[in-house]
Amino acid sequence: MGAMSASAPRRVLLAAPRGYCAGVDRAVIAVEQALEQYGPPIYVRHEIVHNKYVVKTLEKKGAIFVEQTDEVPQGEIVIFSAHGVAPEVHREAERGKLATIDATCPLVTKVHKEAIRFAKDDYDILLIGHEGHEEVIGTSGEAPEHIQLVDGPGDVAGVEVRDESKVVWLSQTTLSVDETMETVGALKEKFPNLISPPSDDICYATQNRQTAIKQIAADSDLVLVVGSKNSSNSVRMVEVALGAGAGAGHLVDNAGEIDESWLEGVTTVGLSSGASVPDVLVEGVLEWLAERGFGDVEVVQPMQESIQFSLPKELRRDLRAEAAEKVRDSA
């Protein structure tokens, strides 16, 4: 038995789809195009996407990342990240005489619109998501008096509503499908008349990447997910892989973070990446693995992705001139 395992071929099961989703691609291109069109500096409120490599690459090109809108000097251009912002942030930008580019993912915008609509109809909105996540903060800001956060099944017992016949759930887009539905199940037990949103709020890219990693997990002694630790969807992918039968699972930003001891006794490595990860980082991991005998790569692709989003409309305007005019008008 030992001799057989020693001679077993080493391989990589490479999940697809993986990496950049349409919303991330749109947001990153928006920053790059703004830098090209208007010249640096271009300010970005929060990380445009949750990936260290992407942020550092854009910083080298002239993007300046800030935590708060008031850190941006008057008359400058600020880009809102793919995770979305609350209406108050737009008002802050207006008060600061800033030109804005909204790079919010259209799927996150859809959740914002659902929150506005249900709040207008006076529903209690139960937002399933993780406290402190930028997307949750942005969505909650659309109707703070109607929205309460439910951070997993453990929160359900403490949820109280005004009218059990007027309750709806919405969700952070980057959660795991299984995790969300477990929370929804617990909420429906407590509120049998709970309404579901008109369409599934878990984004297509999150679902597809989780489906693909489930498909390779049971055959993998080790699963590596390339992504940053502050990326919700990347963290979930490791959890999904372990839940689907992977022998072990780790989240790494790049090949330099892989511990060689993880390969002990391993013949099959499953590999994927989060929705905010450029494929150059996955290629680096593949090279690292090939140097250690894992040169046989099999792509596992249970579905195709073809969705693309158009760039923010603000990129078609002369934002530098608009910002200068705002400053002149306030003088």
Side-chain angles (χ1 to χ4, degrees):
M1 189 72 176
M4 281 177 67
S5 61
S7 62
R10 294 177 169 186
R11 62 175 181 158
V12 177
L13 298 179
L14 182 60
R18 65 180 178 280
Y20 272 11
C21 63
V24 165
D25 198 39
R26 173 182 184 266
V28 173
I29 291 172
V31 178
E32 291 172 339
Q33 192 160 318
L35 285 164
E36 204 173 292
Q37 274 180 226
Y38 309 120
I42 295 291
Y43 289 83
V44 184
R45 188 182 185 277
H46 291 169
E47 295 185 352
I48 187 68
V49 295
H50 286 156
N51 184 266
K52 288 181 188 175
Y53 176 89
V54 172
V55 169
K56 285 179 182 173
T57 300
L58 292 173
E59 280 177 336
K60 286 175 188 171
K61 293 179 179 180
I64 297 174
F65 292 88
V66 297
E67 285 305 304
Q68 300 301 332
T69 316
D70 61 12
E71 295 175 55
V72 183
Q74 269 200 356
E76 289 291 348
I77 297 170
V78 63
I79 298 181
F80 299 137
S81 81
H83 307 103
V85 296
E88 177 56 29
V89 176
H90 288 277
R91 291 191 285 269
E92 287 170 4
E94 193 62 35
R95 290 194 293 269
K97 315 302 175 193
L98 307 177
T100 61
I101 298 172
D102 191 352
T104 303
C105 172
L107 299 178
V108 174
T109 299
K110 179 181 75 70
V111 178
H112 281 226
K113 286 178 177 174
E114 288 171 357
I116 293 165
R117 182 166 66 84
F118 282 111
K120 198 174 287 183
D121 291 337
D122 203 30
Y123 276 78
D124 278 328
I125 301 166
L126 308 180
L127 178 61
I128 300 169
H130 295 311
E131 189 168 4
H133 191 278
E134 287 157 38
E135 186 185 324
V136 165
I137 293 168
T139 303
S140 298
E142 295 288 2
E145 67 286 355
H146 285 85
I147 293 176
Q148 55 183 306
L149 181 64
V150 184
D151 196 343
D155 269 8
V156 172
V159 175
E160 293 182 7
V161 299
R162 295 167 300 153
D163 180 351
E164 292 193 7
S165 68
K166 295 195 75 171
V167 190
V168 63
W169 69 269
L170 299 178
S171 172
Q172 178 183 330
T173 63
T174 54
L175 299 182
S176 88
V177 182
D178 297 340
E179 176 186 19
T180 300
M181 295 323 292
E182 186 184 349
T183 305
V184 170
L187 285 170
K188 281 187 173 174
E189 277 186 30
K190 185 167 185 177
F191 306 112
N193 296 320
L194 180 72
I195 294 172
S196 295
S199 58
D200 193 352
D201 282 345
I202 302 296
C203 97
Y204 78 93
T206 299
Q207 288 191 38
N208 289 351
R209 278 148 192 73
Q210 290 175 11
T211 299
I213 208 162
K214 280 180 183 177
Q215 194 145 327
I216 64 173
D219 294 325
S220 301
D221 305 306
L222 166 70
V223 166
L224 297 174
V225 175
V226 184
S228 293
K229 289 173 179 59
N230 64 338
S231 165
S232 180
N233 78 86
S234 300
V235 171
R236 300 298 152 251
M237 285 174 68
V238 177
E239 294 171 357
V240 167
L242 291 169
H250 297 281
L251 181 66
V252 295
D253 257 301
N254 51 55
E257 292 189 358
I258 303 172
D259 187 331
E260 202 151 353
S261 68
W262 297 344
L263 296 179
E264 286 175 19
V266 168
T267 58
T268 300
V269 176
L271 177 61
S272 189
S273 57
S276 50
V277 178
D279 220 37
V280 64
L281 298 177
V282 176
E283 288 163 13
V285 172
L286 286 171
E287 288 171 16
W288 188 93
L289 289 168
E291 288 167 5
R292 287 152 183 83
F294 291 84
D296 179 13
V297 179
E298 179 188 336
V299 176
V300 178
Q301 184 159 7
M303 77 284 293
Q304 299 285 333
E305 268 182 12
S306 57
I307 292 178
Q308 287 184 310
F309 296 133
S310 58
L311 289 174
K313 61 185 184 299
E314 298 93 340
L315 287 166
R316 298 194 288 270
R317 308 205 306 257
D318 186 350
L319 293 183
R320 289 270 182 228
E322 287 180 26
E325 191 175 335
K326 287 180 181 181
V327 174
R328 278 198 306 274
D329 289 347
S330 68

